[in-house]
Amino acid sequence: QVQLVESGGGLVQAGGSLILSCAASGRTFSAYAMGWFRQAPGKEREFVAAISSFGGSTYYRDSEKGRFTISRDNAKNTLYLRMSGLKPEDTAVYYCAARFSDSIVALTTGQMDYWGKGTLVTVSS
């Protein structure tokens, strides 16, 4: 069992920046590929970004390239999502998730082994 706890969400004005964190516990963090997903009010959950187990490869939803940066610190068992140039449409509950073994298709389609409970990000206009 891997437990994931997100933090860092809050209210931010359009154009602002925010850093989300995801603390992992329970198993070896470095063995898992990690991802960030989000679910806006009344909409389905969607892929945002992912990173390989050792951080060598990253993947982003096309609309977030250049604005969002995913990173990890395996020594601290923590995943991060740095967001800038935030837009009202970025408003959503953001979830971190873990998957044992890397797979671009699996990561981008939400085929994950463990999920956190989310942190709310609200972007005002």
Side-chain angles (χ1 to χ4, degrees), residues 36-48 61 64 89-95 108-110 115:
W36 284 101
F37 298 80
R38 67 186 182 188
Q39 185 168 24
K43 298 183 179 180
E44 62 184 11
R45 184 175 295 178
E46 65 181 9
F47 167 77
V48 175
R61 181 169 181 267
E64 318 313 329
E89 53 262 42
D90 291 320
T91 294
V93 173
Y94 283 71
Y95 301 86
T108 58
T109 57
W115 293 86

Side-chain angles (χ1 to χ4, degrees), residues 87-107:
K87 307 172 182 179
E89 53 262 42
D90 291 320
T91 294
V93 173
Y94 283 71
Y95 301 86
C96 67
R99 176 183 173 81
F100 188 82
S101 82
D102 296 358
S103 170
I104 297 176
V105 173
L107 291 172

Side-chain angles (χ1 to χ4, degrees), residues 1-124:
Q1 175 75 283
V2 173
Q3 295 181 329
L4 305 171
V5 181
E6 303 94 337
S7 62
L11 177 64
V12 62
Q13 295 183 349
S17 301
L18 204 60
I19 299 176
L20 304 183
S21 298
C22 174
S25 63
R27 291 184 181 274
T28 303
F29 181 64
S30 61
Y32 295 84
M34 301 292 295
W36 284 101
F37 298 80
R38 67 186 182 188
Q39 185 168 24
K43 298 183 179 180
E44 62 184 11
R45 184 175 295 178
E46 65 181 9
F47 167 77
V48 175
I51 187 168
S52 59
S53 59
F54 291 98
S57 300
T58 58
Y59 313 92
Y60 299 92
R61 181 169 181 267
D62 289 344
S63 62
E64 318 313 329
K65 288 184 177 179
R67 296 196 303 123
F68 290 10
T69 300
I70 187 171
S71 63
R72 65 192 297 161
D73 186 337
N74 288 346
K76 296 182 178 180
N77 289 353
T78 304
L79 174 73
Y80 303 95
L81 181 66
R82 186 182 299 275
M83 305 182 290
S84 62
L86 287 166
K87 307 172 182 179
E89 53 262 42
D90 291 320
T91 294
V93 173
Y94 283 71
Y95 301 86
C96 67
R99 176 183 173 81
F100 188 82
S101 82
D102 296 358
S103 170
I104 297 176
V105 173
L107 291 172
T108 58
T109 57
Q111 299 175 56
M112 314 298 287
D113 296 314
Y114 304 98
W115 293 86
K117 293 185 177 181
T119 184
L120 178 64
V121 172
T122 301
V123 184
S124 62

